[in-house]
């Protein structure tokens, strides 16, 4: 989650006026670890020259609401005037993404807007409590949320079958109402259908149509996750990865990711585990803004002697 960090950052740099750009560069060259420690350096990103230019020119107007912003408007989901849309990469996703934003989550601190800016055709942002009804399509939708019933990405195909007519019973009670012999026959057929569907799903990767992310602080999440419209959805947990987010939530483990990081890492896992394809940076540009801000803030802290 992110705000007009760049303007705050630039003010901070001005306040540290004792160091010139040359001194800053010299400092960075003397501490190569500031680059080596950057876990985002291996990303295959489009040129960020447009962001470098925008940073130098400072804040600019949003073409829709005329608000003064840095890089993009986080309320209109569009780049500012100094960042031409044609110079922003576009990422095509293998499925649709819904982001449910907590009403108290500060717009300017959210990284969810990155996904909308970079994958506009595949991402929709909703402000809670205005969210869709997902019940009828829960056999093709999953929710990213760590919990006691969450499953790994590689097991998505198996568990989604429980929500289809060919899958297992909707509840254990339904199964128990059948006579034992009939129940055994049902279970045999279900297992056969389940294996066929899993095989098909793994081959074409199309069974999962939409993934839902919650954009809020972890302390705010409970209000959304307990909403009746999200009950019964398959919950997915991501492999343990450490966040690079500069606004890390105090007292929370470093495995708590920002929204854009969670989206990116899910898609990488999905690409490898479900689509069964080698990952060659197809979704790296989702971190186009994130990686730029990460480097900008890390370098600024270095110049200010904070590292």
């Amino acid at each position: 989650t992110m705000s007009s960090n760049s303007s705050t950052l630039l003010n901070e740099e001005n306040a540290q006026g004792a160091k010139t750009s040359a001194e800053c560069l010299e400092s960075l060259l003397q501490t190569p670890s500031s680059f080596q420690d950057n876990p985002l350096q291996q990303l295959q990103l489009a040129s960020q020259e447009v962001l470098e230019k925008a940073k130098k020119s400072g804040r600019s107007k949003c073409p829709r609401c005329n608000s003064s912003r840095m890089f993009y408007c986080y309320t209109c989901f569009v780049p500012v005037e100094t960042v031409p849309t044609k110079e922003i990469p576009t990422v095509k996703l293998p499925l649709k993404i819904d982001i449910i934003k907590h009403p108290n989550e500060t717009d300017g601190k959210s990284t969810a807007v990155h996904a909308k800016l970079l994958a506009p055709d595949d991402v929709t942002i909703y402000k809670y409590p205005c969210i869709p009804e997902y019940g009828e399509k829960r056999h093709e939708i999953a929710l990213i949320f760590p919990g006691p019933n969450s499953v790994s990405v590689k097991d998505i195909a198996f568990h989604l079958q429980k929500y289809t007519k060919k899958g297992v019973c909707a509840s254990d009670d339904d199964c128990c109402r059948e006579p034992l012999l009939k129940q055994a026959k049902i279970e045999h057929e279900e297992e056969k259908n389940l294996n066929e569907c899993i095989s098909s799903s793994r081959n074409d990767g199309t069974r999962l149509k939409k993934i839902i992310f919650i954009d809020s602080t972890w302390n705010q999440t409970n209000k959304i996750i307990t909403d009746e419209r999200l009950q019964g959805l398959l919950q997915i947990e991501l492999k343990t990865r450490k966040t690079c987010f500069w606004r890390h939530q105090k007292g929370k483990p470093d495995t708590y990711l920002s929204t854009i990081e969670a989206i990116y890492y899910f898609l990488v896992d999905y690409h490898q585990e479900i689509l069964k394809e080698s990952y060659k940076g197809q979704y790296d540009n989702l971190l186009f803004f994130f990686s730029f801000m990460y480097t900008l803030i890390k370098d600024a802290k270095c110049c200010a002697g904070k590292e």
Side-chain angles (χ1 to χ4, degrees):
T1 42
M2 179 161 103
S3 71
S4 50
N5 293 308
S6 38
S7 94
T8 303
L9 176 62
L10 292 173
N11 290 335
E12 179 182 330
E13 289 177 325
N14 291 336
Q16 300 292 333
K19 285 199 173 185
T20 63
S21 297
E23 288 174 323
C24 179
L25 177 59
E26 182 181 1
S27 172
L28 292 174
L29 291 175
Q30 289 174 350
T31 55
S33 61
S34 66
F35 292 99
Q36 294 170 357
D37 292 343
N38 183 352
L40 304 176
Q41 264 204 318
Q42 303 304 314
L43 296 172
Q44 299 178 43
L45 298 173
S47 171
Q48 293 176 320
E49 184 179 356
V50 62
L51 300 182
E52 288 286 357
K53 291 179 179 178
K55 182 190 74 170
K56 291 176 182 177
S57 61
R59 286 172 165 259
S60 181
K61 285 185 178 181
C62 168
R64 292 187 183 174
C65 69
N66 289 324
S67 296
S68 176
R69 299 281 190 260
M70 196 71 175
F71 302 129
Y72 57 81
C73 180
Y74 44 76
T75 50
C76 299
F77 309 144
V78 294
V80 294
E81 293 176 346
T82 54
V83 182
T85 303
K86 66 179 184 296
E87 295 186 42
I88 299 298
T90 300
V91 184
K92 181 61 182 173
L93 307 185
L95 37 65
K96 300 298 182 182
I97 288 179
D98 280 2
I99 300 174
I100 301 175
K101 188 174 176 298
H102 192 282
N104 293 338
E105 176 71 357
T106 305
D107 288 339
K109 292 183 178 180
S110 172
T111 61
V113 64
H114 296 186
K116 183 61 179 176
L117 284 162
L118 298 163
D121 294 337
D122 298 317
V123 175
T124 305
I125 298 179
Y126 297 95
K127 181 169 283 191
Y128 186 84
C130 299
I131 65 174
E133 295 284 349
Y134 293 109
E136 291 184 4
K137 297 198 173 181
R138 62 179 184 165
H139 60 286
E140 56 187 33
I141 298 175
L143 171 67
I144 298 295
F145 190 78
N149 299 317
S150 297
V151 303
S152 64
V153 173
K154 65 183 177 63
D155 293 327
I156 288 176
F158 177 84
H159 289 279
L160 275 181
Q161 306 316 310
K162 297 177 182 179
Y163 301 105
T164 67
K165 292 180 181 179
K166 292 182 179 180
V168 298
C169 295
S171 70
D172 293 337
D173 291 340
D174 293 336
C175 290
C176 293
R177 292 192 188 100
E178 300 289 353
L180 290 179
L181 289 176
K182 186 176 181 182
Q183 182 179 335
K185 183 178 180 181
I186 290 174
E187 289 174 348
H188 176 73
E189 289 298 318
E190 285 168 352
E191 184 177 359
K192 180 181 176 182
N193 289 330
L194 191 57
N195 290 332
E196 289 175 355
C197 289
I198 292 170
S199 176
S200 172
S201 179
R202 283 180 175 165
N203 287 335
D204 60 27
T206 58
R207 183 159 297 283
L208 182 64
K209 300 288 182 64
K210 180 176 289 186
I211 196 81
I212 303 169
F213 292 83
I214 295 175
D215 184 49
S216 72
T217 63
W218 284 94
N219 292 333
Q220 296 170 337
T221 301
N222 189 60
K223 181 176 181 179
I224 296 178
I225 198 64
T226 55
D227 189 286
E228 61 179 9
R229 290 166 292 184
L230 298 181
Q231 302 312 300
L233 292 177
L234 179 65
Q235 293 185 7
I236 309 298
E237 62 181 352
L238 301 176
K239 292 178 180 177
T240 301
R241 288 187 171 93
K242 293 184 178 180
T243 184
C244 292
F245 196 31
W246 49 92
R247 290 183 179 276
H248 182 64
Q249 296 174 44
K250 188 176 181 180
K252 301 299 181 183
D254 58 7
T255 52
Y256 281 20
L257 305 173
S258 66
T259 301
I260 195 63
E261 287 177 299
I263 292 172
Y264 170 74
Y265 286 126
F266 166 79
L267 289 170
V268 172
D269 288 348
Y270 180 82
H271 195 84
Q272 296 172 319
E273 302 284 358
I274 302 299
L275 301 186
K276 299 296 183 183
E277 297 177 15
S278 59
Y279 183 70
K280 298 178 180 178
Q282 290 91 333
Y283 315 119
D284 282 10
N285 273 322
L286 284 174
L287 298 179
F288 180 75
F289 291 105
F290 185 90
S291 63
F292 185 81
M293 291 304 305
Y294 173 87
T295 302
L296 198 63
I297 290 171
K298 187 174 179 66
D299 291 353
K301 287 181 178 180
C302 176
C303 289
K306 293 185 178 180
E307 290 189 350

